[in-house]
Amino acid sequence: QVQLEESGGGLVQAGGSLRLSCVASGPTLSTYGVYDVGWFRQAPGKEREFVAYITWNHARTYYADSAKGRFAIDRDNAQHTVWLEMNSLRPEDTAVYLCAVRRAYAQRYPDGSQYQDRSLYAYWGQGTAVTVSS
């Protein structure tokens, strides 16, 4: 089991910024090996949606169209921490943001969309709430 803990959420006005953190820990973390990390979000009554993704070695990052140009994902493997920097926040960004991990190279889709598939992620954090006011 890998434990993930998100933090950094809160209330922010439209146009503001937040920096979310996701810290991985647990007794099996070392044996889990290298892992990719995705950020997802879910608003009440809405489907969980992909936000951003980063491979274990920073080789690739992916962003949802809604996040491109506004959000940035980064990580520090020594700290087992992944950040999601969110800028120019909009009310529609309001959601619970969750980080999730999957083992690197575990599954790939022909169209390269595997990073968007939440079913491929083995572990999830509890989420941190982000509220963007108008």
Side-chain angles (χ1 to χ4, degrees):
Q1 181 71 32
V2 176
Q3 289 79 47
L4 303 174
E5 183 176 2
E6 305 95 335
S7 62
L11 176 64
V12 64
Q13 295 186 37
S17 300
L18 286 173
R19 188 169 186 251
L20 309 182
S21 297
C22 172
V23 179
S25 63
T28 64
L29 182 60
S30 61
T31 60
Y32 189 68
V34 296
Y35 55 91
D36 298 345
V37 178
W39 280 96
F40 295 78
R41 66 187 183 187
Q42 188 167 20
K46 294 184 173 61
E47 297 286 332
R48 187 179 301 173
E49 64 176 347
F50 166 78
V51 178
Y53 173 93
I54 187 168
T55 57
W56 74 276
N57 59 353
H58 296 80
R60 293 179 177 86
T61 58
Y62 299 95
Y63 298 92
D65 288 341
S66 62
K68 290 179 180 177
R70 300 189 300 125
F71 294 3
I73 188 170
D74 201 3
R75 67 189 297 170
D76 185 336
N77 289 340
Q79 300 181 39
H80 299 291
T81 301
V82 176
W83 297 276
L84 181 67
E85 182 179 335
M86 306 187 295
N87 302 303
S88 301
L89 285 164
R90 307 162 180 166
E92 53 263 40
D93 295 319
T94 296
V96 173
Y97 284 72
L98 308 96
C99 66
V101 302
R102 54 164 288 174
R103 189 167 185 140
Y105 317 110
Q107 179 69 51
R108 296 179 181 178
Y109 293 162
D111 63 356
S113 65
Q114 64 276 357
Y115 58 89
Q116 302 182 34
D117 189 347
R118 65 187 182 95
S119 70
L120 299 181
Y121 291 81
Y123 302 102
W124 294 79
Q126 80 288 349
T128 184
V130 172
T131 302
V132 184
S133 62
S134 301

